[in-house]
Amino acid sequence: MSVDLSRLSLNQKTLNGWTLPQAVEGCVRAGIPWIALWRDKVEETGLEESARIVHDAGIKVSSLCRGGMFPSPTPEGRAANIEDNKRAIDEAATLGTDVLVMVCGGLSGVRAIDDARGMVRDGIEAILPYAEQRGVKLGIEPLHPAFAADRSVISLLGEANDLAEHFRSPQVGVVIDIYHVWWDPNVYTEIARASQYTLGFHVNDWLVPNTDPLMSRGMMGDGVVQNRRLREAVDTAGYTGPIEVEIFNQDIWRKDGDDVLLTMKERFVQEVM
Amino acid sequence: MSVDLSRLSLNQKTLNGWTLPQAVEGCVRAGIPWIALWRDKVEETGLEESARIVHDAGIKVSSLCRGGMFPSPTPEGRAANIEDNKRAIDEAATLGTDVLVMVCGGLSGVRAIDDARGMVRDGIEAILPYAEQRGVKLGIEPLHPAFAADRSVISLLGEANDLAEHFRSPQVGVVIDIYHVWWDPNVYTEIARASQYTLGFHVNDWLVPNTDPLMSRGMMGDGVVQNRRLREAVDTAGYTGPIEVEIFNQDIWRKDGDDVLLTMKERFVQEVM
């Protein structure tokens, strides 16, 4: 079987037990051309060293996760969050990716969710000139409504699209993760609408039962999501970029990393492409 | 302090450890005028006996939970689900409530969520004549998207409103539970839209962290939901009926029931009315 893995990207979170150098080496061994990096892992290895490792390995960086986390009840808190986002933009530029994934932030003590949403909009506006200057795009990732309180007050792809269109900048777009949006009755309409500014696409699966929204993601094919149908919709809309496999799952984290990559490649072909 | 509890309803699920007679007696002791019943509890005590107990106690039944659960991959499965819904309609009529809460059902092995949604629409259509005949209204309750796979493919209040308006029958409306809809950017618009057919309103709270969507509901005031703001919106839309307190929470289930009712009354006044 000849398989095309040219769009496959390992999101580092799928192999959370591996350091950045281990994950890069794993991708090289497995013939996976892309990797998505997380800031905590980059910090552990060092920014410049991380950049050197991925560059020397010939692996491309599909995105850096994550910017965002804007809301705070105090102006000082919001200013600190904006500074942190500027650092994330610098890190993305250094690592050679033009996509910073934005997990916009939860309530963080803000009482009204619409106020928190306003802080997200203001936060993106505040960092946008710097993102433009550094050539980094901001990919707003709507998160499943189960995370509205503590991770992202931007839940619907429609909301992320509204935000992106509010800024009307080539520097702002959306990142679509099937785990967060598969259930949405408007998902196909909103995927089509995001045609001009989809900056990333993540696949995995929604396991049943889902006893913990954070950790009940599964490998494509192990849950109820129609991965291929969603991938076709994203492709039809015109997205041709990398497809990240991002899975938070303790059982997968316990497995041998090379075995996980093997399964990941198989499922990518069987369930996604 | 003079408090008005005239709209307060104990949803039986809040005191899951109590039988139906215990729950009714508890309401009498606490001066709570309404109760919402669950079919499993009714069956445990017996239908006629349950009806007699609530009637003799002078407690009003705000709703029966639950009808729905329509999707199935087979015609036989769907027909059986429709028959079960007719029994639920009979039970509601016997218990003296005109609202049957519809938890519409998850995927149940159906691959495409839009197909499952079609089965929900067809199921409601199939039982509607019988509901009209028995004088029971069908209250479509959108459930949090975390339950889309296994409990309700109807997630957004907007979807429930679309369904209700599709039927254009005084026998079909929606039930609004803040736990399921609080995060929705369109919630206030959709509450206003449901003005003419809101059949029920449930309060509780979204606890943070939410480590299990089913069991992480809390008492009003213990989480992040703006209960009063949502109640005011529902009232402004014109709803004047009972307000159920429905909480799935193991910690609350372990407590003394009378203590829970006392807290429930306090929080209802402090956080909701």
Side-chain angles (χ1 to χ4, degrees):
Chain A
M1 184 175 66
S2 158
V3 297
D4 182 3
L5 300 179
S6 62
R7 296 175 70 188
L8 179 58
S9 180
L10 168 69
N11 185 298
Q12 240 193 310
K13 190 52 74 177
T14 304
L15 289 174
N16 203 37
W18 272 359
T19 62
L20 186 143
Q22 286 175 312
V24 170
E25 287 158 21
C27 285
V28 171
R29 280 195 300 277
I32 295 168
W34 294 91
I35 193 165
L37 302 175
W38 277 67
R39 291 180 74 197
D40 56 336
K41 295 287 187 184
V42 169
E43 190 180 5
E44 184 186 270
T45 296
L47 177 61
E48 301 294 338
E49 176 70 1
S50 297
R52 190 191 61 74
I53 288 169
V54 291
H55 180 266
D56 289 356
I59 300 287
K60 295 169 283 186
V61 182
S62 54
S63 72
L64 176 66
C65 202
R66 61 193 185 196
M69 297 290 169
F70 294 108
S72 165
T74 68
E76 295 75 23
R78 296 193 289 277
N81 294 344
I82 284 165
E83 287 313 303
D84 185 58
N85 272 276
K86 290 182 180 172
R87 283 191 296 274
I89 289 167
D90 283 334
E91 290 165 28
T94 303
L95 292 164
T97 178
D98 64 348
V99 178
L100 178 64
V101 175
M102 307 299 282
V103 174
C104 292
L107 295 170
S108 297
V110 177
R111 186 74 184 112
I113 191 167
D114 28 14
D115 289 345
R117 290 192 189 109
M119 293 172 192
V120 170
R121 193 187 55 237
D122 294 348
I124 294 174
E125 186 168 327
I127 64 172
L128 187 50
Y130 194 67
E132 283 170 351
Q133 191 182 319
R134 299 298 319 255
V136 172
K137 294 179 181 178
L138 308 174
I140 302 164
E141 183 179 8
L143 255 54
H144 194 285
F147 303 118
D150 50 3
R151 281 184 179 77
S152 176
V153 293
I154 305 300
S155 305
L156 300 172
L157 182 52
E159 291 184 88
N161 286 347
D162 286 347
L163 257 179
E165 294 179 7
H166 167 79
F167 289 107
R168 285 191 286 188
S169 158
Q171 228 62 30
V172 181
V174 300
V175 169
I176 301 169
D177 184 316
I178 60 95
Y179 186 81
H180 300 304
V181 303
W182 74 274
W183 60 271
D184 185 345
N186 303 312
V187 65
Y188 291 102
T189 312
E190 295 295 340
I191 284 173
R193 180 182 160 201
S195 158
Q196 299 304 309
Y197 47 79
T198 297
L199 301 177
F201 180 50
H202 298 181
V203 296
N204 47 68
D205 217 328
W206 180 275
L207 300 182
V208 178
N210 183 307
T211 49
D212 175 355
L214 186 61
M215 298 302 293
S216 289
R217 291 194 219 196
M219 189 61 78
M220 300 80 75
D222 286 346
V224 299
V225 175
Q226 294 187 291
N227 267 286
R228 176 169 287 114
R229 183 179 172 194
L230 286 159
R231 193 270 305 159
E232 285 172 350
V234 171
D235 278 9
T236 300
Y239 180 72
T240 56
I243 299 173
E244 297 183 12
V245 176
E246 183 183 43
I247 307 175
F248 292 65
N249 183 308
Q250 201 66 55
D251 292 335
I252 290 178
W253 291 352
R254 281 194 204 98
K255 289 182 180 163
D256 174 77
D258 287 310
D259 288 347
V260 172
L261 293 183
L262 191 64
T263 305
M264 189 177 108
K265 290 194 292 180
E266 287 172 0
R267 296 296 182 85
F268 183 73
V269 173
Q270 288 167 17
E271 304 286 335
V272 180
M273 298 310 288
Chain B
M1 185 174 63
S2 158
V3 297
D4 182 5
L5 300 179
S6 61
R7 296 176 71 189
L8 178 58
S9 179
L10 168 68
N11 185 298
Q12 244 195 307
K13 190 52 75 176
T14 303
L15 289 174
N16 203 39
W18 271 359
T19 62
L20 184 144
Q22 287 176 313
V24 171
E25 288 159 19
C27 285
V28 170
R29 279 195 302 276
I32 295 168
W34 294 90
I35 194 166
L37 302 176
W38 277 67
R39 292 181 73 197
D40 56 335
K41 296 286 187 185
V42 170
E43 190 180 4
E44 185 185 270
T45 295
L47 177 61
E48 301 294 338
E49 176 71 1
S50 297
R52 190 192 62 71
I53 288 169
V54 292
H55 180 267
D56 288 356
I59 301 287
K60 294 168 284 184
V61 182
S62 54
S63 72
L64 177 65
C65 202
R66 60 192 185 194
M69 297 289 168
F70 293 108
S72 166
T74 68
E76 296 74 24
R78 295 195 289 278
N81 294 343
I82 284 166
E83 287 312 304
D84 186 60
N85 272 276
K86 289 182 180 170
R87 283 192 295 274
I89 289 168
D90 283 334
E91 291 166 26
T94 301
L95 292 164
T97 178
D98 65 348
V99 179
L100 178 63
V101 175
M102 307 299 283
V103 174
C104 291
L107 295 170
S108 298
V110 176
R111 186 74 184 112
I113 191 167
D114 27 14
D115 289 344
R117 290 193 189 109
M119 293 172 191
V120 170
R121 193 187 54 237
D122 293 347
I124 293 174
E125 186 169 328
I127 64 171
L128 187 49
Y130 194 68
E132 282 170 354
Q133 191 183 318
R134 298 298 319 254
V136 172
K137 295 179 181 178
L138 308 174
I140 302 165
E141 183 180 6
L143 254 56
H144 194 284
F147 303 118
D150 50 3
R151 282 184 179 78
S152 176
V153 293
I154 305 300
S155 305
L156 300 173
L157 182 52
E159 291 183 88
N161 286 347
D162 286 347
L163 257 179
E165 294 179 8
H166 167 78
F167 290 107
R168 286 191 286 187
S169 159
Q171 228 61 31
V172 181
V174 300
V175 168
I176 301 168
D177 183 318
I178 60 93
Y179 186 81
H180 300 305
V181 302
W182 74 273
W183 61 271
D184 185 345
N186 302 312
V187 65
Y188 291 101
T189 312
E190 296 295 340
I191 284 173
R193 180 182 161 203
S195 157
Q196 299 305 309
Y197 48 79
T198 297
L199 301 177
F201 181 50
H202 298 180
V203 296
N204 47 68
D205 217 329
W206 180 276
L207 300 181
V208 179
N210 182 308
T211 48
D212 175 357
L214 185 62
M215 298 302 294
S216 289
R217 291 193 218 196
M219 188 61 77
M220 301 80 75
D222 287 346
V224 298
V225 175
Q226 293 186 291
N227 267 286
R228 176 168 288 113
R229 183 179 172 195
L230 285 159
R231 193 271 305 160
E232 285 172 350
V234 171
D235 278 8
T236 299
Y239 180 72
T240 56
I243 300 173
E244 298 183 11
V245 176
E246 184 182 42
I247 307 174
F248 292 66
N249 183 309
Q250 200 67 54
D251 292 335
I252 289 178
W253 292 351
R254 282 195 204 98
K255 288 184 180 162
D256 175 77
D258 287 312
D259 287 348
V260 172
L261 293 184
L262 190 64
T263 306
M264 189 176 107
K265 289 194 292 182
E266 287 172 358
R267 296 296 182 83
F268 183 72
V269 173
Q270 287 167 16
E271 304 286 335
V272 181
M273 298 310 288

